Amino acid sequence: MLGTLALLGSPNSGKSTIFNRIVGERVSIVYDSPGVTRDRIYAKATWLTKEFTLIDTGGIEIKNAPFQEEIRAQAEIALEQADAVLFVVDGRKGLSADEKFVAKLLYKSQKPVILAVNKTDSLAEISNLDDFYALGLGEPIAVSGVHGIGIGDLLDKIIAVLPEKEEEDFGDAIPFALIGQPNVGKSSLANKLLGGVRTIVSPLAGTTRDSIDSKFERNGQKYVVIDTAGLVKRGKIYESVDKYAALRALSAISRADVAVLLIDATKGLVEQDKHVVGYAVNEGKAVVVAVNKWDAKKHPPEEEREFRQTIATGMKFLDYAPIVFISALTGRNIDLLLSYVRKAEESFKRRVPTSVLNQILLDAQAYNPTPDFNHGRLKIYFGNQVSIKPPTFVLFCNNPDFAHFSYTRYLENRLRESFDFSGSPIRIIYRQRK
């Protein structure tokens, strides 16, 4: 596993097209108009067996602010999050003053920079390549995101400059990340868990600039809490600061076993909550949902039931995650939250004996036979758990194409009925028996 690469460049330089070309699928929105990418999007990419994280940093929108401020903010965000930067420039337009300005920021950062001259689809455009040596960022690489020209050479360069990421050893401590939109109470909760003011707590959204790891012990169990508070809001940048928080949460989530999603009880479930926790789901992490600020007003029992139903309806993909109502201010249900984190970690590392697994599969097929799908009927011969974190099961069958998603869901539910996988996702992979 390698580090993180951020794509940086001016609007309409083709960042999203190159992002999709490297990832191999249309993850970012691509349209021939500046400013189409409205969100920071990330994905895993693989080249020559090396996996790395790619972040499309396009799409900052600014009103009533100098253009140079936009360029500076874009560059600083990329530099703060990434191990290396892919600077994409438009080979058709040639070298601009704004690109020279960005190059100075990148040079001062001392982080590895790869210069990709995009839209070099003809000899005339390739002839403009020499102009970009003036940026002082090394040899420019001619590429075409649309046609795939030069992408292989670009990927060779990427895996050469990205650092290897060593898996952190937290020992017997449980690493969990606090995620959520800014000002939801992540730093307040971290301080309550640690028993003192360790991070700056302010009513202003995005006060904490850096993720902080802190070890503590509670009721005989060791933990590492990773605070992923949002980036400070800058000037008149009209992109929501919660998107910066989502971007920051990426590295923390990848290092944690459990992600604790904090939801603001005073605001209810918002779309950004789903967006942030989506990173944890994509990473296959265990999840606990904590509704914070439950002390802000009196809540009758039926209101808690209604809030649970709102979460269940709004985030159906998280039906395995336990929900706890807490107050970081008063300490209400903090011990209960940690017990859920501990159980989620246990579920995340749970192993099912092969003999028991195959009995569950046999009984499941006998009770509910597989349906006809794709001109065939799935027959599962045997299964085996191949890994943990999350628990992953390979089921050997006659044809994986016959597996309907609803039957996979049914098998997952049978496994959950037999074993406590509370808080942890389950992965089921079908393989054809040879």
Side-chain angles (χ1 to χ4, degrees), residues 15-256:
K15 298 184 301 296
S16 294
T17 303
I18 291 179
F19 177 94
N20 293 337
R21 175 69 66 173
I22 293 175
V23 173
E25 55 183 310
R26 292 177 63 87
V27 179
S28 274
I29 300 170
V30 178
Y31 187 71
D32 191 19
S33 177
V36 169
T37 305
R38 302 297 182 188
D39 199 2
R40 305 199 176 279
I41 304 170
Y42 89 105
K44 298 291 185 182
T46 303
W47 181 250
L48 301 179
T49 72
K50 297 288 188 178
E51 186 179 81
F52 59 94
T53 301
L54 192 66
I55 304 175
D56 184 356
T57 63
I60 290 183
E61 293 181 323
I62 292 186
K63 298 178 182 178
N64 302 322
F67 189 64
Q68 297 292 8
E69 183 180 347
E70 175 185 1
I71 297 295
R72 180 187 293 274
Q74 181 84 359
E76 288 178 353
I77 294 163
L79 290 172
E80 186 176 353
Q81 300 297 325
D83 297 300
V85 175
L86 176 60
F87 185 23
V88 181
V89 297
D90 190 334
R92 292 176 183 171
K93 293 181 179 179
L95 186 60
S96 69
D98 293 315
E99 286 160 348
K100 293 179 181 178
F101 176 78
V102 175
K104 291 180 180 178
L105 295 177
L106 295 176
Y107 187 74
K108 290 178 182 178
S109 74
Q110 297 185 343
K111 287 194 176 182
V113 178
I114 303 169
L115 178 61
V117 183
N118 193 26
K119 305 181 183 180
T120 51
D121 303 305
S122 67
L123 290 175
E125 287 143 2
I126 292 176
S127 65
N128 295 330
L129 206 65
D130 291 344
D131 297 342
F132 293 96
Y133 278 98
L135 293 175
L137 296 175
E139 182 177 2
I141 301 175
V143 300
S144 171
V146 173
H147 298 105
I149 299 171
I151 298 298
D153 293 338
L154 180 62
L155 285 165
D156 287 341
K157 183 70 172 178
I158 289 171
I159 63 172
V161 302
L162 282 176
E164 292 272 358
K165 290 292 184 181
E166 295 183 3
E167 186 173 344
E168 292 186 71
D169 184 10
F170 293 103
D172 56 354
I174 299 174
F176 67 97
L178 302 179
I179 63 174
Q181 55 184 318
N183 208 31
V184 74
K186 296 185 292 294
S187 292
S188 296
L189 177 57
N191 290 338
K192 179 62 70 172
L193 291 169
L194 297 169
V197 179
R198 171 210 50 116
T199 59
I200 299 172
V201 178
S202 167
L204 297 177
T207 301
T208 305
R209 291 182 57 85
D210 298 309
S211 297
I212 303 170
D213 296 4
S214 300
K215 296 181 180 180
F216 69 98
E217 186 171 338
R218 192 99 161 201
N219 298 326
Q221 174 64 58
K222 296 178 182 178
Y223 300 88
V224 175
V225 57
I226 307 171
D227 182 5
T228 60
L231 188 70
V232 67
K233 191 173 183 179
R234 292 181 176 276
K236 294 183 178 180
I237 300 175
Y238 288 111
E239 181 186 67
S240 302
V241 291
D242 53 10
K243 294 177 183 177
Y244 295 130
L247 185 61
R248 180 182 299 283
L250 287 176
S251 60
I253 289 171
S254 67
R255 291 162 44 231

Side-chain angles (χ1 to χ4, degrees), residues 301-343:
E302 59 269 18
E303 189 170 345
E304 183 174 315
R305 289 194 295 268
E306 290 172 1
F307 210 115
R308 287 181 180 275
Q309 185 58 47
T310 298
I311 294 174
T313 303
M315 297 193 293
K316 294 181 180 179
F317 58 92
L318 268 187
D319 58 354
Y320 55 84
I323 303 170
V324 57
F325 294 79
I326 69 168
S327 169
L329 183 64
T330 66
R332 169 180 171 163
N333 283 341
I334 297 299
D335 284 333
L336 181 60
L337 169 63
L338 290 176
S339 72
Y340 282 147
V341 169
R342 187 178 66 253
K343 289 180 181 178

